[in-house]
Amino acid sequence: PTTDQLTSEFKTNQLPATITLSNSSGAKMIVQKIKSQKTNVSLQHLMPGLYLLTVEKQGSTEVIKVVKK
């Protein structure tokens, strides 16, 4: 679980990448193109709950559950 920020780290060969944070209804809350190896994303403006983080990098997609307290 997280309270106010999410940190993502990528290897150089995985960049650029795109992260999308969606709420439980599927609405996109954050879409961000990642160009650096370490990036912080603020979640302060989001309500507590379950979110899905979709990470797209080098032709692959990964979905991770994120719980904001």
Side-chain angles (χ1 to χ4, degrees), residues 57-69:
K57 57 186 181 212
Q58 299 300 315
S60 67
T61 301
E62 182 178 358
V63 179
I64 303 163
K65 291 180 184 177
V66 175
V67 177
K68 182 179 187 255
K69 289 187 173 187

Side-chain angles (χ1 to χ4, degrees), residues 10-17 37 57-59:
F10 297 93
K11 295 178 183 174
T12 304
N13 65 346
Q14 296 174 321
L15 298 173
Q37 287 181 296
K57 57 186 181 212
Q58 299 300 315

